[in-house]
Amino acid sequence: MIAPVTVTLLALTAVGTAAAGELRATVRNVKPNQGKVMVALFDSVEAEMAKRPRAGYFAAALGAEVQVVFPDLPAGHYGLIAFQDLDNNGEMATGLFGIPAEPHGFSRSARGSFGPPGFDDYAVAVGASGITTTEIRLVE
């Protein structure tokens, strides 16, 4: 078994934040050695709708799991959206009616019915300190 890859992202917060939490996600069902895994961190439904993530991450899909760490986050609710970019074009491939054609998933392994889950369905509460964990299970 190939060891999971861990990447730490630099926080996009102001310097001097007194208290901060950390969000760790395990991305599962990755197709090893095929493209990249891309993860976007959103801090509100408005940011998701505007496609303005607070932070992002991408790395080669080396194993069946990828570990992602977002440090220094102020307390709040955060949602993660991930996909595996199998064709390495930097965008999620879609099929008929905009249905994703590449493996994709949401924090809390949330799934929607007749479309993607809403932000509240996949958002994770991060405290002012400590570590919060979640899982993203990629589906096709």
Side-chain angles (χ1 to χ4, degrees):
M1 178 174 193
I2 298 173
V5 177
T6 300
V7 173
T8 301
L9 295 174
L10 297 176
L12 300 177
T13 58
V15 176
T17 302
E22 179 174 288
L23 177 58
R24 295 182 184 179
T26 302
V27 182
R28 301 192 191 282
N29 292 340
V30 174
K31 294 178 184 250
N33 303 312
Q34 296 183 46
K36 297 181 188 99
V37 173
M38 305 180 103
V39 181
L41 172 82
F42 294 96
D43 57 9
S44 67
V45 67
E46 294 80 16
E48 178 200 354
M49 298 294 283
K51 297 183 180 179
R52 285 192 319 263
R54 178 183 180 90
Y57 154 85
F58 69 93
L62 300 177
E65 288 185 357
V66 175
Q67 301 291 321
V68 183
V69 178
F70 294 91
D72 301 322
L73 295 173
H77 286 83
Y78 298 91
L80 300 172
I81 300 176
F83 78 98
Q84 187 170 357
D85 188 13
L86 298 173
D87 57 12
N88 282 311
N89 71 350
E91 298 178 2
M92 166 112 67
T94 57
L96 191 60
F97 304 114
I99 297 171
E102 292 178 302
H104 60 283
F106 298 83
S107 43
R108 297 176 48 197
S109 291
R111 299 186 69 181
S113 53
F114 303 109
F119 182 79
D120 290 338
D121 296 325
Y122 69 91
V124 178
V126 174
S129 63
I131 297 169
T132 302
T133 61
T134 189
E135 179 179 281
I136 301 170
R137 187 168 297 279
L138 298 181
V139 296
E140 292 187 67

